[in-house]
Amino acid sequence: MDSSLEIIEKIKSSGLTGRGGAGYPTGLKWESMYNSSYSEIYIVVNGSEGEPATEKDGYILENYLTELVEGVRIAYKIFSHTKKIYFYLRKDYFQKYKKLIEKKTSGLPVVVFKEPGGYLCGENTTLINSIEGKRLEPRRKPPYCSQVGLWGLPTLVNNIETFYRVYQIVNNQYKKTRSYTLTGEITNPGVYDLSLDLSLKQLFEKTDNQLTENHFVQVGGGASGQYFSYDELESQSANLGTGAVIVYNCQKIDFFQLMKIKLDFLLKENCGKCTPCREGLFVLKQMIEKKQISDQMRLIFSALKKTSFCGLGEGAGVSFISLWNKKDKIWKK
């Protein structure tokens, strides 16, 4: 195997970005960690996968567990001063794969950890708090986990798919693809490994899914993804967020139904720490239940995007603004 610096350079040259949603360049994160002066670090394999309609990590655990573990071994070789490696898994993944992971990671200092909460535990600093047994809420950043993470030490946190792609890169198998999860009003839902450069139209063509003018799409994740109408499919990249693509039919769901689904989820999953998210989501739900559409909604969307403490409220703001801007086009009939 190449030297640690050669592997990191190879990852940087590949253009690989994190596949948990944020999309930070993986090679830069690893390089920063490698150059840190701490005598010990931690590694976390993030398998929380709480973003609605995202199933790629479960697919990789089921079909490419050996390759995933080899990707983690590569990280452990580079960061030989790693104190522990945590496989951080949502509850159903923990139950199904704990023993398999422990068997395949023999010789590594691995702890398979069951996520204690829900959606918010996928956020890196909430994840750190949960492993430390603290309140399930995000920390202020900076410092970032790569600087101050588990028990004050630098912590490398990457998504399951990211470690899997590292394995491919090091073994010259990476073809600049990602895992897309397709769900909703389509005939061929599932997880597909396809090019990063696809438009939404190309994605549906390659998966034999035929859409009509009644369809619209949410891309990037069920809670924080952006919305696109049928006539935007050709120009819009499919490569956003967690790679989740949800297809809706405007004749089967209306604006208020869709908003209520999203708000029910976000209200259930938010930690209550910050006022914009806590109060903003509550007020929005009241307005939606009364079927009130006003410019006040846009102001709340904007406040969520700009002032929420973490990605839950911020992502909700981006998603809701996107839906608001498209509502007249989507439901024009």
Side-chain angles (χ1 to χ4, degrees):
M1 185 181 287
D2 295 334
S3 70
S4 296
L5 286 174
E6 287 173 331
I7 292 172
I8 290 173
E9 190 56 42
K10 201 170 185 178
I11 295 170
K12 286 172 63 179
S13 298
S14 74
L16 179 68
T17 57
R19 299 296 167 79
Y24 188 81
T26 304
L28 291 180
K29 179 186 283 190
W30 286 36
E31 184 177 56
S32 173
M33 291 287 295
Y34 186 80
N35 291 331
S36 70
S37 59
Y38 284 81
S39 58
E40 290 181 321
I41 70 161
Y42 290 94
I43 293 174
V44 178
V45 184
N46 188 350
S48 172
E49 194 159 57
E51 185 72 52
T54 306
E55 301 171 4
K56 65 184 181 60
D57 291 347
Y59 182 84
I60 291 169
L61 285 167
E62 181 66 28
N63 296 282
Y64 300 104
L65 181 56
T66 298
E67 292 84 351
L68 165 64
V69 169
E70 289 306 307
V72 176
R73 287 187 187 275
I74 290 166
Y76 184 66
K77 176 186 181 295
I78 292 173
F79 305 106
S80 57
H81 52 312
T82 298
K83 189 172 183 178
K84 274 192 177 70
I85 301 168
Y86 285 87
F87 276 74
Y88 187 90
L89 304 180
R90 77 183 204 194
K91 300 173 185 67
D92 55 332
Y93 293 168
F94 176 87
Q95 183 176 357
K96 188 172 183 180
Y97 299 108
K98 178 179 184 293
K99 291 182 180 179
L100 277 172
I101 291 171
E102 289 174 341
K103 181 178 180 180
K104 286 185 175 290
T105 57
S106 176
L108 296 176
V110 163
V111 175
V112 184
F113 189 92
K114 181 168 70 173
E115 172 196 79
Y119 176 77
L120 202 54
C121 283
E123 192 275 332
N124 286 358
T125 62
T126 307
L127 175 155
I128 297 296
N129 275 348
S130 70
I131 295 175
E132 292 182 354
K134 296 177 181 177
R135 182 178 169 85
L136 303 182
E137 63 182 22
R139 299 178 180 180
R140 185 174 297 280
K141 294 178 287 189
Y144 297 96
C145 294
S146 58
Q147 301 164 315
V148 180
L150 278 168
W151 293 287
L153 292 177
T155 303
L156 180 70
V157 184
N158 275 128
N159 176 253
I160 277 177
E161 186 186 349
T162 308
F163 282 105
Y164 169 56
R165 300 301 175 186
V166 165
Y167 162 82
Q168 290 186 320
I169 290 165
V170 172
N171 288 277
N172 301 314
Q173 298 174 9
Y174 182 55
K175 298 179 181 178
K176 294 189 181 297
T177 61
R178 74 168 300 160
S179 297
Y180 296 93
T181 310
L182 274 63
T183 60
E185 297 288 334
I186 50 175
T187 54
N188 295 308
V191 177
Y192 296 88
D193 193 68
L194 295 167
S195 170
L196 296 169
D197 299 325
L198 295 179
S199 70
L200 284 170
K201 182 180 180 182
Q202 291 171 325
L203 177 66
F204 293 124
E205 288 174 347
K206 287 185 175 295
T207 57
D208 294 323
N209 285 294
Q210 303 298 318
L211 272 62
T212 71
E213 291 185 358
N214 291 326
H215 290 104
F216 64 100
V217 179
Q218 186 181 19
V219 184
S224 57
Q226 298 182 55
Y227 292 85
F228 300 97
S229 60
Y230 176 80
D231 59 8
E232 294 176 297
L233 298 183
E234 189 168 1
S235 60
Q236 174 56 47
S237 171
N239 181 22
L240 291 176
T242 61
V245 180
I246 311 173
V247 180
Y248 298 97
N249 188 320
C250 67
Q251 294 186 332
K252 295 183 180 181
I253 191 168
D254 64 28
F255 176 79
F256 296 103
Q257 288 174 297
L258 187 52
M259 281 287 290
K260 186 178 185 304
I261 291 169
K262 303 302 180 183
L263 285 166
D264 284 343
F265 174 81
L266 292 165
L267 281 165
K268 176 178 175 290
E269 297 294 340
N270 89 89
C271 70
K273 179 172 182 172
C274 74
T275 302
C277 186
R278 183 184 65 244
E279 301 301 324
L281 294 173
F282 179 74
V283 171
L284 282 170
K285 184 176 181 183
Q286 288 183 316
M287 298 175 72
I288 289 300
E289 288 176 342
K290 295 176 182 178
K291 295 193 173 182
Q292 296 175 343
I293 295 183
S294 70
D295 287 338
Q296 184 184 359
M297 292 181 73
R298 179 186 286 277
L299 294 175
I300 297 173
F301 297 156
S302 181
L304 284 169
K305 177 183 175 183
K306 294 177 181 178
T307 64
S308 293
F309 188 84
C310 79
L312 186 147
E314 183 180 327
V318 172
S319 181
F320 291 155
I321 288 171
S322 172
L323 182 60
W324 173 275
N325 289 338
K326 304 292 171 59
K327 68 182 189 306
D328 294 332
K329 177 181 287 189
I330 289 171
W331 288 282
K332 60 185 176 182
K333 297 182 181 180

